[in-house]
């Protein structure tokens, strides 16, 4: 099993640019979670999908953030326009139906200058 | 929503000694409590978890205990080794959804 795959692993961009982070969940998993990790705020859940449908996006910080899951094997998190305070590590995690265990991807380290 | 508090924020132990990390949660409906280990620059990795119908669970040198009445749970690491040095996160999840609320993390350093 390849595990959760995220790309890119590192992203450096200038303020105002659009950023798109990508995630491929573990095959067969039907729930996908996007988290953000910073020193100040720790690990925060941004949004999660169940069977490709967004269930809870209450953690999305503002309208500049959007997430999609067009199919069971792909999700994106987009930030437009990006700001320096968006600098963080963004993790994607997935879990199987009826199970509780969430498995994290390697993360994308985003730096906005 | 669920609020998880974790203590201590840092913990330094001598190799071979035990380490204990404690967490409390606010939502009495929470029923799943995982622990994650995160090494520097790496992803959080699930090391052990416990459901609300169980009071204790062990896996080799690590164990987790749960007190539902008091709404707290703990991670115990025995015979600590240098490779146990990492940040450990506790989390809690409710009965009606699978959202994980994480504690702030404990940085464990095992001194050789």
């Amino acid at each position: 099993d390849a595990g959760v795959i995220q790309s890119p692993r590192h992203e450096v961009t200038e303020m105002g640019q659009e950023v798109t982070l990508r995630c491929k969940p573990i095959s067969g998993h039907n729930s996908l979670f996007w988290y953000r990790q910073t020193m100040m705020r720790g690990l925060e859940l941004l949004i999660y999908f169940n069977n490709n449908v967004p269930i809870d996006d209450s953690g999305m910080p503002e309208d500049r953030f959007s997430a999609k899951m067009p199919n069971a094997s792909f999700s994106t998190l987009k930030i437009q326009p990006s700001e320096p305070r968006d600098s963080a590590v963004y993790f994607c995690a997935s879990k199987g139906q009826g199970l509780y265990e969430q498995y994290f991807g390697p993360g994308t380290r985003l730096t906005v200058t | 929503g669920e609020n998880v508090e974790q203590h201590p924020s840092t913990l330094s132990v001598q190799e071979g000694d035990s380490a204990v990390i404690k967490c409390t949660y606010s939502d009495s409906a929470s029923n799943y409590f995982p622990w994650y280990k995160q090494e520097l620059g790496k992803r959080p990795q699930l090391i052990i978890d416990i459901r609300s119908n169980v009071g204790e669970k062990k896996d080799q040198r690590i164990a987790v205990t749960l007190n539902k009445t008091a709404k707290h749970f703990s991670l115990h690491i025995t015979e600590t080794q240098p490779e146990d040095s990492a940040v450990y996160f506790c989390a809690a999840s409710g009965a009606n959804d699978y959202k994980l609320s994480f504690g702030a993390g404990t940085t464990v350093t095992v001194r050789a």
Side-chain angles (χ1 to χ4, degrees):
Chain A
D1 192 333
V4 177
I5 298 171
Q6 291 186 247
S7 65
R9 297 292 308 276
H10 301 273
E11 176 80 33
V12 180
T13 191
E14 291 185 349
M15 183 174 64
Q17 296 299 305
E18 177 179 296
V19 175
T20 299
L21 312 181
R22 298 173 176 80
C23 176
K24 177 179 168 55
I26 292 172
S27 178
H29 282 191
N30 73 324
S31 295
L32 183 141
F33 305 80
W34 282 101
Y35 292 90
R36 178 171 67 177
Q37 186 175 36
T38 61
M39 289 294 292
M40 291 297 294
R41 300 176 67 90
L43 264 168
E44 304 173 274
L45 177 67
L46 300 178
I47 185 170
Y48 87 92
F49 295 85
N50 194 48
N51 294 323
N52 312 338
V53 176
I55 301 300
D56 189 333
D57 64 355
S58 60
M60 296 285 262
E62 49 200 272
D63 291 346
R64 297 184 298 106
F65 285 68
S66 63
K68 293 182 180 179
M69 191 163 187
N71 57 62
S73 58
F74 183 66
S75 177
T76 59
L77 178 68
K78 187 175 292 186
I79 308 172
Q80 166 62 18
S82 57
E83 297 182 2
R85 61 193 167 120
D86 301 331
S87 297
V89 180
Y90 291 82
F91 288 103
C92 174
S94 71
K95 75 167 196 71
Q97 185 166 6
L99 303 177
Y100 283 88
E101 299 84 353
Q102 291 185 26
Y103 296 94
F104 282 72
T108 296
R109 181 174 295 278
L110 173 65
T111 303
V112 183
T113 61
Chain B
E2 176 65 274
N3 181 45
V4 178
E5 295 194 355
Q6 183 171 346
H7 300 280
S9 57
T10 61
L11 181 59
S12 179
V13 297
Q14 189 69 38
E15 183 177 358
D17 288 351
S18 295
V20 180
I21 304 170
K22 298 182 179 181
C23 289
T24 60
Y25 61 99
S26 60
D27 187 353
S28 57
S30 290
N31 66 347
Y32 173 65
F33 306 92
W35 287 87
Y36 285 83
K37 175 184 181 182
Q38 187 177 28
E39 297 176 351
L40 190 64
K42 301 289 180 69
R43 75 189 78 189
Q45 289 198 298
L46 179 67
I47 56 171
I48 195 168
D49 56 15
I50 192 167
R51 311 282 168 86
S52 59
N53 58 346
V54 175
E56 183 174 357
K57 184 177 178 181
K58 257 186 123 172
D59 182 4
Q60 300 182 347
R61 296 187 297 106
I62 60 173
V64 57
T65 59
L66 171 65
N67 183 325
K68 282 190 64 180
T69 303
K71 290 190 284 188
H72 66 69
F73 55 113
S74 301
L75 178 72
H76 303 251
I77 308 172
T78 58
E79 300 173 21
T80 53
Q81 301 169 5
E83 53 264 37
D84 295 328
S85 296
V87 180
Y88 292 80
F89 293 94
C90 63
S93 171
N96 297 320
D97 63 43
Y98 296 100
K99 292 168 53 174
L100 284 179
S101 297
F102 283 86
T106 297
T107 301
V108 173
T109 303
V110 180
R111 306 186 306 273

